[in-house]
Amino acid sequence: ERVRSAPDQISPVSISEAVLAIQKTYPEEYTMFSIGKIMPILARPIVTQALKDWSPIQDPFEVKKVLEDWKLALEYCNAVIETKYKNGEEEGGNSMINNESSYSNLVENSVVPCIRSALLTDWKADVNNKEVALMIDSLKSVLPVSTLNMFSDVIIVPKLKSELVQWNSLEKGLGLHELVQPWLEPLEKKVVSL
């Protein structure tokens, strides 16, 4: 009813809070009907709309609260379902265990495009390198490991390598350490390969 009467009051956080309330009030039904698997489909348009003006490099923390709530709500459901399938309580569940989690699905379809676009179009290593490293570091706790690995392997490390090859301290006005040092924390071992 609230969606129809006041759609502007619906936010990603309010939906995740409702999902958590349903989990606590009706845990068996929540798991039985795999509500955690359905919620990313329902939440995706609202999360995407909420992020339409989000600038990940300028404000990496804006999405963190949203993702923390959704991670809690959706990963709980996946953990319960996996436990039931592993214990043999449900039949035919092996394929669900191997499927991408609901949370990863939501992140991949609503948040990743924003971050990917920022990395590919807005990141200039000699201008906002520290801000981009801070963005990745601040989102480490809420992005799936596979997503972080994709960003580092496909976009960040290749771009840093390219910048290192072309680096001219006199022209850029920055030391080489200023290019690499911000990435020591967020990328840890991957920076060593540079």
Side-chain angles (χ1 to χ4, degrees):
E1 178 62 34
R2 191 170 142 204
V3 173
R4 283 188 227 132
S5 63
D8 56 324
Q9 293 180 359
I10 303 298
S11 71
V13 173
S14 67
I15 293 174
S16 65
E17 288 170 352
V19 171
L20 287 169
I22 292 168
Q23 282 179 1
K24 290 178 183 173
T25 308
Y26 307 103
E28 288 181 26
E29 291 83 354
Y30 184 90
T31 304
M32 183 185 322
F33 296 112
S34 298
I35 292 177
K37 295 286 182 188
I38 299 166
M39 288 314 299
I41 297 164
L42 300 174
R44 186 178 313 134
I46 293 167
V47 172
T48 302
Q49 178 67 24
L51 297 178
K52 74 176 182 175
D53 296 325
W54 177 49
S55 178
I57 296 173
Q58 278 68 44
D59 189 7
F61 301 102
E62 180 179 329
V63 78
K64 192 170 183 178
K65 171 66 174 145
V66 172
L67 292 181
E68 286 171 340
D69 290 346
W70 277 106
K71 186 173 184 178
L72 180 65
L74 296 176
E75 288 190 344
Y76 167 80
C77 180
N78 286 349
V80 171
I81 290 170
E82 280 189 30
T83 301
K84 284 188 169 199
Y85 287 135
K86 285 179 182 176
N87 293 338
E89 295 175 31
E90 302 282 342
E91 291 186 28
N94 289 337
S95 62
M96 188 171 284
I97 292 172
N98 295 325
N99 284 349
E100 176 179 284
S101 79
S102 299
Y103 176 72
S104 294
N105 187 352
L106 178 65
V107 169
E108 183 67 34
N109 290 298
S110 58
V111 178
V112 167
C114 298
I115 298 171
R116 183 183 298 120
S117 176
L119 288 172
L120 293 173
T121 60
D122 300 333
W123 176 26
K124 311 290 183 253
D126 57 338
V127 176
N128 56 2
N129 194 46
K130 289 180 185 176
E131 291 84 354
V132 174
L134 175 66
M135 173 189 71
I136 296 297
D137 195 44
S138 68
L139 296 174
K140 275 174 77 171
S141 65
V142 292
L143 290 178
V145 173
S146 61
T147 301
L148 285 169
N149 286 337
M150 183 272 300
F151 283 141
S152 64
D153 295 346
V154 176
I155 300 173
I156 297 169
V157 171
K159 187 166 186 166
L160 288 173
K161 283 182 179 180
S162 174
E163 287 289 331
L164 285 170
V165 169
Q166 300 171 14
W167 196 260
N168 182 339
S169 296
L170 297 175
E171 184 181 301
K172 303 274 186 186
L174 299 170
L176 196 55
H177 69 284
E178 292 180 81
L179 177 66
V180 178
Q181 192 170 10
W183 293 101
L184 292 176
E185 183 70 27
L187 295 185
E188 299 166 1
K189 297 174 186 168
K190 294 185 181 198
V191 172
V192 175
S193 70
L194 295 174

